[in-house]
Amino acid sequence: MKKNAAVIIPYKPRYPQNLIHAALESRRFCVLVTHRQMGKTVCAVNHLLKSALTNTRPAPRYFYIAPFLKQTKLIAWDYIKRFSAPLPDIKLSEVELCLQLPNGAKIWLLGADNPDALRGTYADGVVLDEYAQIKPDVFDEIVRPMLLSRRGWALFTGTPKGQNQFYELYQYAQKAAAQGNADWWCGLFPADETGVIAPQELEEIRRRTPPRLFRQEYLCDFTADAEDVLISSSLVAQACARRYGGGEIAYAPKIIGVDPARFGADRSVIFRRQGLQAFAPRVLHKTDNMTLAAVTAREIEQFRPDAVFIDAGCGGGVIDRLRSLGFTVTEINFGSAPLKAGQYANKRAEMWGEMQAWLQSGGALPASAELKADLCGVRYSFDAAGRMKLESKEELKARTGRSPDLADALALTFALPVRKRAGGGGEFARTEYEVL
């Protein structure tokens, strides 16, 4: 190959492949969770090809690893040959499943069922496909040492298969990225968001597929087999597909929930809901109490709610400021006693339980990947008295690296029963509302 000659891979990424490639170019360790038929293998193969072609080091080495050698050949070898075919001076070995590129870089396809074949070599980059089916020690004991000398990268891809090492790795990557670790990235792309599968086709698949399997394979739900997740991804997906017109919800009271940020990395969230329709939340980052109070005041004046509920845990300054401006707001202590004391351990569990019941009864959600993640991430259990309790924000954040701020703000709209005032709101934002 002539020096500086242009090399073009015959591949044009579509959504969400274009977003994924941007992340792969800038992060060392990437965890990619996708639905079936999203195109993750094509994405991974072309990332390997580009990385290998642009590597200027001597003798670059790259590896594509799937759980079994036969599976690796079936999944990726044809793609390797197809996308490398127009390149000059390539060498393909069907026996070794190896591609040599014009700059001397090599890409091998291997199976994790014979991991010892990898020992003693180095790697500039490694793709581990269907990672849920690969033993964890393959990466920890074999692949990770291969990356040391070249400071190589690794891409872990797959579709959920329950809460195994792939789930744990996704949670680790999510937490590391949230804490600002620039080496890590994670992406989760369910079928109801990517648009790769036509809506009518996806609906047909949903009808013909067992619910648990559909949640796992197409909604990328790691918790499809879990019994301790309060709100399922399928319930959230159904809610995101619903929309109600103004006439359908005009009978219902308007409610605002405000969850002020607890820590610097958390988000302050203002959520509006009327009856079965929840509207797009207002999310603010690193906002002080006075600014949050001012934004909330504007939301109240525009939405004219019948009730405003604010988390008292970190919202004292916001509550005091709004009251000084003449607004009537109610502070909610998440740890306080619930109205249904025999069913829930505290107010937060009650709000989430009522939110789940609302979703089951036809609640409609705005399309938000962050909201979906918040709603589906919280676990529940029961205390000695048989009352439902949730894992705390602190426990969830320690486990996943994120706080469910959007979901908690929406849950606040279920803090107390509210009756719509006569006249449909208007000036009632500055007067007492009726609580049933």
Side-chain angles (χ1 to χ4, degrees):
M1 183 179 71
K2 295 181 180 179
K3 189 176 181 180
N4 298 325
V7 177
I8 299 175
I9 302 173
Y11 164 63
K12 185 176 181 179
R14 51 167 167 72
Y15 179 85
Q17 291 169 327
N18 53 347
L19 299 182
I20 295 168
H21 282 295
L24 299 182
E25 295 287 344
S26 59
R27 297 292 187 269
R28 188 179 178 201
F29 300 109
C30 295
V31 181
L32 176 60
V33 185
T34 73
H35 64 85
R36 292 299 175 198
Q37 303 303 314
M38 197 286 293
K40 63 179 175 60
T41 303
V42 171
C43 192
V45 163
N46 279 283
H47 183 60
L48 278 173
L49 284 169
K50 181 179 179 181
S51 297
L53 285 166
T54 57
N55 194 329
T56 58
R57 289 181 171 180
R61 293 185 178 185
Y62 293 86
F63 298 87
Y64 184 102
I65 304 170
F68 303 97
L69 180 60
K70 185 177 180 180
Q71 182 182 14
T72 306
K73 183 174 182 178
L74 182 65
I75 292 173
W77 186 237
D78 283 346
Y79 287 134
I80 287 282
K81 292 190 290 185
R82 179 196 305 178
F83 292 110
S84 66
L87 306 180
D89 304 322
I90 63 169
K91 296 179 181 179
L92 285 164
S93 172
E94 294 281 351
V95 175
E96 295 183 338
L97 293 182
C98 177
L99 165 70
Q100 181 173 320
L101 294 166
N103 63 343
K106 291 184 178 180
I107 300 174
W108 279 273
L109 273 62
L110 299 171
D113 50 338
N114 183 25
D116 289 337
L118 292 165
R119 293 185 186 274
T121 188
Y122 61 87
D124 293 87
V126 177
V127 172
L128 295 108
D129 198 3
E130 300 297 348
Y131 188 66
Q133 302 174 49
I134 295 177
K135 294 180 179 179
D137 57 5
V138 171
F139 179 74
D140 296 333
E141 297 179 13
I142 299 175
V143 175
R144 187 69 176 87
M146 293 166 56
L147 303 174
L148 292 177
S149 63
R150 300 274 190 133
R151 203 173 185 274
W153 55 262
L155 167 60
F156 308 83
T157 76
T159 300
K161 292 288 184 183
Q163 295 181 332
N164 49 28
Q165 78 274 6
F166 190 35
Y167 171 70
E168 293 174 357
L169 182 66
Y170 173 75
Q171 285 202 314
Y172 177 84
Q174 188 179 51
K175 185 175 181 179
Q179 293 175 344
N181 188 328
D183 277 346
W184 283 89
W185 172 84
C186 65
L188 187 146
F189 297 92
D192 60 338
E193 292 182 10
T194 65
V196 172
I197 301 176
Q200 62 272 20
E201 181 72 15
L202 186 62
E203 177 59 23
E204 177 64 18
I205 293 172
R206 185 193 65 77
R207 287 198 297 265
R208 299 175 63 88
T209 306
R212 180 200 62 78
L213 192 62
F214 181 78
R215 286 170 54 193
Q216 177 176 279
E217 300 287 310
Y218 292 94
L219 299 183
C220 298
D221 188 354
F222 282 106
T223 66
D225 290 326
E227 298 180 355
D228 61 349
V229 175
L230 181 64
I231 297 175
S232 71
S233 61
S234 58
L235 185 60
V236 173
Q238 292 166 17
C240 288
R242 299 187 190 106
R243 291 292 181 274
Y244 296 102
E248 297 175 284
I249 58 175
Y251 71 91
K254 296 178 179 181
I255 307 171
I256 285 180
V258 183
D259 186 38
R262 289 170 176 258
F263 309 106
D266 288 358
R267 302 154 291 181
S268 292
V269 183
I270 304 169
F271 229 120
R272 297 175 296 156
R273 179 176 67 85
Q274 184 174 18
L276 289 173
Q277 183 66 60
F279 302 97
R282 184 77 178 270
V283 183
L284 301 94
H285 298 268
K286 298 180 180 180
T287 303
D288 60 73
N289 283 342
M290 292 301 100
T291 301
L292 178 58
V295 175
T296 303
R298 288 196 295 272
E299 291 285 326
I300 293 172
E301 291 177 332
Q302 293 171 5
F303 191 52
R304 298 182 178 181
D306 298 286
V308 179
F309 298 122
I310 303 177
D311 176 17
C314 288
V318 178
I319 293 167
D320 291 343
R321 177 58 177 165
L322 287 170
R323 286 174 175 169
S324 73
L325 293 172
F327 294 101
T328 297
V329 299
T330 300
E331 54 190 282
I332 301 297
N333 188 330
F334 280 21
S336 63
L339 296 178
K340 300 177 180 179
Q343 186 175 351
Y344 300 106
N346 56 28
K347 175 58 73 175
R348 182 167 181 254
E350 182 177 55
M351 292 189 300
W352 275 73
E354 295 302 300
M355 179 167 62
Q356 180 203 40
W358 173 79
L359 289 168
Q360 292 173 332
S361 66
L365 293 171
S368 165
E370 288 185 303
L371 177 60
K372 289 181 182 179
D374 283 2
L375 287 168
C376 300
V378 175
R379 297 173 176 175
Y380 76 99
S381 59
F382 294 93
D383 64 13
R387 300 174 302 177
M388 189 185 85
K389 63 179 183 178
L390 302 181
E391 65 177 330
S392 68
K393 272 192 171 187
E394 291 72 24
E395 290 172 332
L396 179 65
K397 192 165 185 178
R399 178 167 61 84
T400 66
R402 58 184 290 136
S403 178
D405 306 310
L406 276 73
D408 272 336
L410 177 58
L412 277 161
T413 68
F414 299 91
L416 294 169
V418 177
R419 176 184 293 128
K420 183 178 179 65
R421 293 293 297 266
E427 296 302 316
F428 295 124
R430 292 182 179 271
T431 62
E432 291 293 336
Y433 56 85
E434 294 182 66
V435 176
L436 297 176

